[in-house]
Amino acid sequence: MAYEVEAPKYVRLAQTIQRRIEDGTYPPGTRVPSENQLVQAFGMSRPTVVRALDLLKRDGWLESRQGYGTIVRGRPEVVEQKDRRGREALERDESQASGRLVEVGRVLVPARVASMLGLPKKAHVLMRRFLVEADGEPAELVSSYFPADLAEGTDLGASEVLSGSAREHLEARRKVRFDHVTERVSARLPSSDEAVLLELPDAVPVLSVLVVALDASGQALQVADVVLPGDRQELEDTYRLN
């Protein structure tokens, strides 16, 4: 059984700052509040603030400029790459993908997924979990969640790999139509089963791309949690020095 593990304070602070960058509170090219200001604003210790800023710098959201402070770089290219992986999760044909199906069945809906599917916290959903491999090692873990009633009459509950994407199955069997997708990228610590499947050393964070597929009315049809090892992501960027 997997348990929800609350991320440490520095990861939660990094997520908050990241959201403020994405919503324009901290625009690209501007300075983020100083360490002292963040300590006062969030009531956290200086070491916690420093670790949060270091995490955001490592992932490309921030950069340090000598004599000027910590600057917002904006949404890094590595996040755009993760977003593309999120969309790919909705279109993946398991029978053609490199990897293996590790779990299928009805599970208690995770809290973060329940709100997106519009379900009560104690509801059960159908989950399909697929481990994508690249060059012989785990590359990403995709956990897809479907409302139980929507999955009825489809092959989504089958224990064999699917031929065709989950979207194709739902649109063909349930006569629904996928209209748009929202994606949320965050850093967190992995659950115990995620760490085992992704072969992660202790204390290595993951990047989570939470992908929500909705119909035209805004009803969520599928939520996919794409989890990527934080120690295997690379960022390369080129920019001018003015």
Side-chain angles (χ1 to χ4, degrees), residues 10 13 35 39 45-55 57:
Y10 79 94
L13 177 57
E35 292 177 9
V39 167
S45 67
R46 183 178 295 276
T48 297
V49 169
V50 170
R51 290 190 71 184
L53 294 176
D54 285 345
L55 179 60
K57 291 173 187 175

Side-chain angles (χ1 to χ4, degrees), residues 160-173:
E160 298 81 20
V161 294
L162 290 177
S163 177
S165 69
R167 172 183 177 176
E168 291 171 340
H169 279 273
L170 286 173
E171 289 190 337
R173 303 288 181 85

Side-chain angles (χ1 to χ4, degrees), residues 131-132 137-142 190 192-201 206-207 227-232:
L131 182 66
V132 180
E137 70 174 5
E140 60 187 82
L141 181 64
V142 183
S192 57
D193 57 333
E194 289 171 343
V196 170
L197 288 167
L198 290 170
E199 300 178 7
L200 295 174
V206 294
L207 290 179
V227 179
L228 302 121
D231 63 342
R232 299 171 210 162

Side-chain angles (χ1 to χ4, degrees), residues 97-145:
S98 176
R100 58 190 176 91
L101 187 65
V102 295
E103 185 179 356
V104 180
R106 288 171 62 95
V107 299
L108 188 67
V109 62
R112 64 184 182 280
V113 175
S115 60
M116 295 178 176
L117 288 176
L119 297 173
K121 293 182 178 179
K122 294 185 178 181
H124 282 78
V125 292
L126 177 68
M127 181 186 74
R128 293 186 69 86
R129 177 167 284 177
F130 192 87
L131 182 66
V132 180
E133 298 175 343
D135 299 324
E137 70 174 5
E140 60 187 82
L141 181 64
V142 183
S143 301
S144 294
Y145 301 91

Side-chain angles (χ1 to χ4, degrees), residues 167-202:
R167 172 183 177 176
E168 291 171 340
H169 279 273
L170 286 173
E171 289 190 337
R173 303 288 181 85
R174 301 295 293 174
K175 307 304 180 184
V176 295
R177 179 65 59 184
F178 283 57
D179 181 76
H180 60 284
V181 171
T182 65
E183 298 181 357
R184 180 182 303 167
V185 183
S186 61
R188 60 175 174 84
L189 290 179
S191 64
S192 57
D193 57 333
E194 289 171 343
V196 170
L197 288 167
L198 290 170
E199 300 178 7
L200 295 174
D202 291 342

Side-chain angles (χ1 to χ4, degrees), residues 19-83:
R19 286 193 293 270
R20 293 188 178 187
I21 294 172
E22 291 190 295
D23 68 17
T25 303
Y26 303 150
T30 62
R31 284 184 292 183
V32 296
S34 67
E35 292 177 9
N36 284 337
Q37 290 172 322
L38 291 172
V39 167
Q40 293 297 321
F42 293 98
M44 295 185 178
S45 67
R46 183 178 295 276
T48 297
V49 169
V50 170
R51 290 190 71 184
L53 294 176
D54 285 345
L55 179 60
L56 291 165
K57 291 173 187 175
R58 188 199 67 187
D59 289 343
W61 293 91
L62 304 174
E63 67 173 315
S64 294
R65 291 185 187 173
Q66 189 171 3
Y68 196 70
T70 301
I71 308 301
V72 176
R73 293 186 65 186
R75 188 176 177 85
E77 178 64 23
V78 70
V79 174
E80 300 294 345
Q81 294 170 0
K82 303 308 165 288
D83 283 356

